[in-house]
Amino acid sequence: MVNCCGLVSEKNQPVPLKSISVELQVRDHVASVSSCLQYVNEEERPLEAVFVFPLPADAAVCHFSARIGEQEIVAEVQDKQSARDQYDDAVSSGQQAFLLEESEESSDVFKLSVGCLSPGQKASITIVYIIELSVQADDALRFCLPAVLNPRYTPAVSAAGVPEVSSASVIPYTLSLSVEVRSSDRISKLESSCPLDPLEFLDAQHTHAKVNLSSGHRFDKDVELFLYYENSHHPSAVVEAGASVAESGSLMGDPALMISLYPEFPADVMSSLASQGEFIFVVDRSGSMGCKMHHGNDAQMRIESARDTLLLLLKSLPMGCYFNIYGFGSRFESFFPQSVVYSEDTMEEALKRVKSMRADMGGTEILQPLKHIYSQPCYPDHPRQLFIFTDGEVWNTKEVLDLVKSHVYSHRCFSFGIGEGASTALITGMAREGSGHAQFITGTDRMQPKVMQSLRFALQPAVDNISVDWSVPEGVTVDMLSPSINTLFQGQRALIYAQIKGQSSGQTEGSVTLKYRLKDQPVTNQLQFTLKPAEDTGLTIHRLAARSVIRSLELQERAGGADMENIRRRIVELSVQAGVSSAHTAFIGVNKDSKQTVKGPLLQRRVPVARMMGAFGGPGMNKCVGMAPRMMRRSPMQCDIQSNRMRMECDSVSFKRMAPRMMRRSPMPCDIQSNSMGIECDSVSDDCYEAEAEPQKDPLLQLISLQKAAGCWELNASLAAVFGKTEDQVTNQKAVQVDGSVWATVLALIWLYAFKSDQQVEWQFVAMKSASWIRSQKPNGLSQCVCDGNALLGCQVTEDMLGI
């Protein structure tokens, strides 16, 4: 099969998707995204196309329309099953139909069913969604337009039936992107991972600007935008008028309020770190972790970068804390039966096992290791901190998030998405539900600085005791729509939604008082807001508020109980009322005015989604790109499985990672006497998991690997080699009265500050432990020791810089 354009017909004709045009409108902390997808049927027969594509987590899809020739169809939100039935009826009768529905497994995956297109016919699909922009560690607001939909891994049987072809080496469609930003704050700058035209300011205050993606972008990686405001930590309250056609007293009819809370952490708080805790590191060891971090020649394997990161983490932990390390794939294993006290012995044992970690554990099943971790009792006075590393390719995202949320009061969860295809719903969802922090490592990003940044978050005091108090005139009430916020960490922002009910005959303003505690110090902010917002300002805040309520209801539903039918009814009602998608609704549009009946057998084609080229082994290796076949959705199947564990063996990563969408909705009367099903692979593509040659040791990692758990170094040849010296050269410069370990530790600190200052975020905790150890030794002649060390290494580092 020719690998010419990712998906071809029987005659090697190109897939119908031709171009994607995106308009992004940013207002303060919220973005509205309009995507237009151009299709054409170049087959000789009628065509039904299904396009499965990613959206950011918590995106609220609020518009779906289709234009066929001169006719435009604007879809409406309906109950999902009703929409599916209507779509199937329309297609079977030869009508053009369009269906957009949220994946049942993950909220950041949507299926676009284009329906019947006659030969040569063109169609234009427009999808609009709104989203809260996430805050980055440097206070930037991040927007990501995902180009990647890696095949999510499902622990079950494989798909079959629909013709499949290999991943595209050249994406057969183009992308254009325009961005407009309006803000109440001054815009500092806008940066991107992709080439942009120059930023153009449209007002003198620099609160209104626009920019375009440079022409020629292949859309072979995520388009990331980073927006910087001058006063990003100032809280704000924005009121949006309700829809004039909506019923008064309803969410869409009343004014909606959005509060932004982004606390600033003073320097003294940032410098104070806890010395207790239980740190559990959970590392993805599935086959995809054998892929490279990026396309460059010097790129590490993902698992190799994870090993280096674990070395830094293990060396940075405080003495006396507890820790454990889990690896997971189709199965999972832990280094210790339960978390152990951090000591020289336990650290060294863990480091030996880290060195042998490989991407050799099959698929990606994160649910079972999480269940095992949560079943372990917590240690008093040692808050549990969970660090999860994965490329995020799972299908049971919602079940994973429910589990994390159910343990939110006993732990914090810090998650790391590795590679272009990490699921935003999984990564941001675990951090959100676990009151932690999410980081994405894409392109040429280094994993280590981002992980160490999150370790600092885990060790820092957090904002807690958060309260919201309203002051409004008589006749007006405020209903909170967002769930209560327990904790905010440095770098996190909360958006709080509320509904303003009733009217006041006199006053036109209300106020809200935000209170919280930071390191035992109370903080109070009072914000004023209008009760008479301007009309026709859009419904972005209303729809995001509705999405927040819908998500809370969906969590209640998945938790189970006696009132499931009523909760489902409320979800559908609110989704239809607000015009936003949910797990129980879908957008449906049918061209009922078409006079022409489509005749002939339907072909079904899967539209490719751009991915990291070579990530899964090149031509012939990628058999499924997250497709959702509709043709066989209702085919009956029977199975009788009596084994303790069903395994499927294969010789390439492609088969392991196929998403069994074909059988998801088939009636399957099964008798499964097992705890889990897994798909294991014996080998991975050469392009994805090459044999690892012994790498050149990074001098920084070499130095850190020599440090003892207490924070000191021993004076030996290995340490001298890091400095480019012999052991005799280093030993001969030591003053007689100075202990060898003190001398070695002072030299290590001098070397770090003199030669690795640009990577300080990676070794900051290593240095803090070292300085603390030196102070505990109360050595004589320390000042002379620092002078001698500077002379030996050719540096000029002071005692104050070293913190000793």
Side-chain angles (χ1 to χ4, degrees):
M1 197 167 289
V2 180
N3 183 33
C4 63
C5 57
L7 184 68
V8 294
S9 68
E10 295 168 342
K11 297 182 178 180
N12 283 329
Q13 294 174 329
V15 296
L17 181 61
K18 289 299 180 182
S19 68
I20 303 176
S21 176
V22 180
E23 294 182 1
L24 170 65
Q25 292 186 331
V26 178
R27 182 58 192 264
D28 289 300
H29 291 252
V30 171
S32 173
V33 188
S34 176
S35 300
C36 183
L37 298 89
Q38 302 288 340
Y39 288 87
V40 61
N41 180 11
E42 296 183 352
E43 305 272 357
E44 295 179 353
R45 290 183 286 177
L47 172 71
E48 182 191 7
V50 178
F51 182 36
V52 180
F53 64 100
L55 289 174
D58 291 329
V61 176
C62 57
H63 175 84
F64 176 46
S65 63
R67 179 177 291 276
I68 304 172
E70 297 302 317
Q71 292 182 322
E72 183 175 16
I73 306 166
V74 178
E76 61 183 23
V77 179
Q78 293 184 7
D79 176 271
K80 181 175 285 188
Q81 190 56 53
S82 174
R84 287 175 181 165
D85 292 341
Q86 190 174 346
Y87 171 83
D88 288 343
D89 291 343
V91 171
S92 62
S93 63
Q95 293 178 312
Q96 284 90 355
F98 303 84
L99 181 71
L100 178 70
E101 60 181 320
E102 187 175 310
S103 165
E104 292 183 356
E105 296 88 358
S106 177
S107 61
D108 70 340
V109 181
F110 280 75
K111 299 179 298 180
L112 174 61
S113 299
V114 178
C116 281
L117 291 179
S118 301
Q121 192 168 40
K122 297 180 180 180
S124 174
I125 308 293
T126 300
I127 304 165
V128 180
Y129 66 88
I130 50 181
I131 185 168
E132 302 170 353
L133 298 177
S134 62
V135 180
Q136 302 301 288
D138 61 354
D139 298 335
L141 297 179
R142 175 183 181 264
F143 169 76
C144 180
L145 183 67
V148 179
L149 181 62
N150 278 339
R152 306 295 203 237
Y153 175 76
T154 307
V157 295
S158 66
V162 175
E164 308 289 0
V165 296
S166 56
S167 176
S169 59
V170 177
I171 305 304
Y173 46 86
T174 59
L175 167 71
S176 65
L177 171 66
S178 64
V179 182
E180 183 176 7
V181 182
R182 293 178 184 269
S183 173
S184 55
D185 193 5
R186 187 179 175 88
I187 301 166
S188 294
K189 59 182 177 179
L190 194 152
E191 299 177 343
S192 176
S193 59
C194 301
L196 298 175
D197 292 342
L199 182 65
E200 180 183 354
F201 287 102
L202 304 179
D203 66 349
Q205 293 75 33
H206 285 200
T207 59
H208 187 192
K210 68 176 182 179
V211 70
N212 294 320
L213 184 69
S214 298
S215 59
H217 181 62
R218 292 184 59 242
F219 204 26
D220 56 351
K221 63 178 180 180
D222 292 354
V223 178
E224 290 182 295
L225 299 175
F226 300 95
L227 176 60
Y228 296 83
Y229 294 139
E230 283 194 357
N231 302 296
S232 55
H233 286 285
H234 287 187
S236 63
V238 181
V239 179
E240 182 179 79
S244 58
V245 296
E247 180 182 355
S248 178
S250 67
L251 172 56
M252 301 306 293
D254 287 338
L257 173 67
M258 180 178 70
I259 299 171
S260 171
L261 176 61
Y262 184 34
E264 186 168 12
F265 284 58
D268 61 328
V269 173
M270 295 287 287
S271 62
S272 62
L273 300 174
S275 59
Q276 294 178 308
E278 179 192 12
F279 300 89
I280 302 177
F281 308 110
V282 185
V283 182
D284 190 340
R285 289 178 55 186
S286 63
S288 59
M289 288 291 288
C291 299
K292 291 185 176 182
M293 291 292 292
H294 57 84
H295 306 303
N297 294 330
D298 60 341
Q300 282 186 306
M301 300 297 179
R302 294 176 185 174
I303 191 66
E304 183 183 358
S305 183
R307 289 198 299 263
D308 289 347
T309 302
L310 286 172
L311 166 65
L312 281 175
L313 286 167
L314 286 172
K315 294 292 185 175
S316 300
L317 294 179
M319 290 292 287
C321 72
Y322 289 79
F323 80 101
N324 204 350
I325 298 176
Y326 283 71
F328 72 93
S330 301
R331 54 187 176 84
F332 72 91
E333 62 183 25
S334 61
F335 283 14
F336 307 100
Q338 60 187 35
S339 295
V340 295
V341 175
Y342 180 75
S343 66
E344 182 65 29
D345 290 340
T346 56
M347 182 195 73
E348 286 298 330
E349 182 178 350
L351 285 173
K352 288 179 183 178
R353 298 194 63 174
V354 165
K355 291 178 182 178
S356 65
M357 289 177 66
R358 297 290 184 270
D360 57 359
M361 295 184 73
T364 308
E365 297 182 45
I366 196 171
L367 190 64
Q368 294 305 317
L370 287 179
K371 286 182 176 179
H372 183 267
I373 290 168
Y374 293 140
S375 70
Q376 301 287 319
C378 294
Y379 293 94
D381 300 321
H382 287 271
R384 177 170 288 172
Q385 313 277 4
L386 198 60
F387 287 68
I388 299 177
F389 304 83
T390 180
D391 45 12
E393 299 165 0
V394 299
W395 272 108
N396 55 347
T397 299
K398 292 178 180 178
E399 190 174 357
V400 171
L401 299 189
D402 286 349
L403 180 64
V404 175
K405 185 178 178 65
S406 67
H407 293 84
V408 67
Y409 297 112
S410 63
H411 86 300
R412 291 189 290 186
C413 182
F414 297 85
S415 53
F416 304 89
I418 305 170
E420 302 280 358
S423 166
T424 55
L426 179 68
I427 303 304
T428 61
M430 286 191 294
R432 181 184 65 249
E433 304 299 357
S435 295
H437 193 80
Q439 296 269 24
F440 290 88
I441 300 105
T442 60
T444 57
D445 289 347
R446 281 173 52 80
M447 186 185 301
Q448 290 85 347
K450 293 196 173 187
V451 173
M452 302 312 292
Q453 196 172 57
S454 290
L455 179 60
R456 175 170 281 277
F457 294 156
L459 292 172
Q460 284 171 348
V463 166
D464 57 12
N465 283 15
I466 301 171
S467 66
V468 181
D469 297 312
W470 306 94
S471 177
V472 291
E474 187 176 352
V476 177
T477 60
V478 179
D479 284 358
M480 289 281 287
L481 302 176
S482 300
S484 58
I485 302 170
N486 303 312
T487 309
L488 283 177
F489 302 104
Q490 193 276 332
Q492 284 190 306
R493 175 216 58 200
L495 294 180
I496 303 169
Y497 298 100
Q499 179 180 351
I500 302 175
K501 295 184 175 182
Q503 292 185 349
S504 171
S505 57
Q507 291 178 263
T508 60
E509 282 195 346
S511 67
V512 57
T513 302
L514 302 174
K515 295 181 180 180
Y516 56 84
R517 185 181 62 184
L518 176 58
K519 199 183 176 183
D520 298 324
Q521 295 297 316
V523 179
T524 300
N525 290 289
Q526 189 173 62
L527 305 173
Q528 304 293 321
F529 58 87
T530 180
L531 298 174
K532 303 290 185 181
E535 301 292 337
D536 300 325
T537 56
L539 295 170
T540 301
I541 294 176
H542 282 79
R543 285 170 173 148
L544 285 170
R547 165 51 62 95
S548 177
V549 176
I550 288 170
R551 285 290 182 251
S552 296
L553 291 171
E554 288 174 346
L555 284 172
Q556 292 180 36
E557 181 185 34
R558 290 195 294 274
D563 202 22
M564 291 302 96
E565 187 57 36
N566 187 46
I567 291 176
R568 184 187 185 281
R569 179 184 56 78
R570 290 174 61 196
I571 291 172
V572 172
E573 285 180 355
L574 185 55
S575 178
V576 172
Q577 181 190 73
V580 298
S581 56
S582 73
H584 293 301
T585 55
F587 284 86
I588 178 70
V590 178
N591 185 358
K592 299 179 180 179
D593 298 327
S594 178
K595 304 290 185 180
Q596 185 176 359
T597 301
V598 179
K599 298 180 179 179
L602 282 176
L603 299 179
Q604 189 173 25
R605 293 291 178 261
R606 301 292 173 240
V607 180
V609 182
R611 292 183 295 163
M612 290 173 58
M613 298 302 105
F616 302 103
M621 300 296 288
N622 305 303
K623 300 298 183 184
C624 186
V625 194
M627 282 79 73
R630 297 185 54 80
M631 301 294 287
M632 300 177 62
R633 192 177 69 206
R634 301 190 179 106
S635 57
M637 303 187 65
Q638 304 279 336
C639 64
D640 183 14
I641 304 172
Q642 301 288 343
S643 63
N644 289 329
R645 184 174 182 85
M646 188 174 79
R647 297 176 183 267
M648 302 186 66
E649 303 292 336
C650 62
D651 60 0
S652 76
V653 71
S654 58
F655 188 76
K656 168 182 74 74
R657 302 180 63 76
M658 286 197 294
R661 311 276 295 158
M662 295 290 295
M663 301 167 64
R664 178 165 57 82
R665 298 192 188 97
S666 305
M668 296 174 61
C670 300
D671 181 14
I672 304 177
Q673 307 290 333
S674 63
N675 292 324
S676 61
M677 291 190 296
I679 301 177
E680 304 245 347
C681 285
D682 294 331
S683 66
V684 185
S685 158
D686 291 339
D687 289 343
C688 190
Y689 195 174
E690 300 167 357
E692 291 185 41
E694 187 65 29
Q696 285 289 96
K697 193 70 174 180
D698 181 343
L700 174 61
L701 292 177
Q702 188 176 353
L703 177 78
I704 292 174
S705 68
L706 298 172
Q707 188 191 37
K708 300 298 182 180
C712 64
W713 276 266
E714 292 181 349
L715 186 57
N716 54 37
S718 297
L719 181 65
V722 175
F723 305 145
K725 308 288 183 181
T726 66
E727 185 175 4
D728 287 343
Q729 286 176 307
V730 174
T731 303
N732 292 339
Q733 292 295 318
K734 181 181 75 68
V736 175
Q737 74 275 18
V738 176
D739 176 75
S741 292
V742 172
W743 171 238
T745 305
V746 168
L747 287 176
L749 280 176
I750 291 174
W751 187 86
L752 287 171
Y753 279 97
F755 300 107
K756 295 296 178 181
S757 59
D758 59 331
Q759 294 176 249
Q760 187 170 355
V761 69
E762 300 182 35
W763 51 261
Q764 56 183 317
F765 300 110
V766 168
M768 290 169 63
K769 284 174 65 175
S770 302
S772 177
W773 180 85
I774 291 174
R775 292 193 300 269
S776 71
Q777 302 303 301
K778 300 178 180 179
N780 294 321
L782 187 57
S783 296
Q784 186 60 45
C785 185
V786 173
C787 290
D788 293 343
N790 278 320
L792 176 65
L793 300 179
C795 308
Q796 293 182 338
V797 180
T798 66
E799 285 184 64
D800 289 341
M801 289 177 61
L802 301 180
I804 57 177

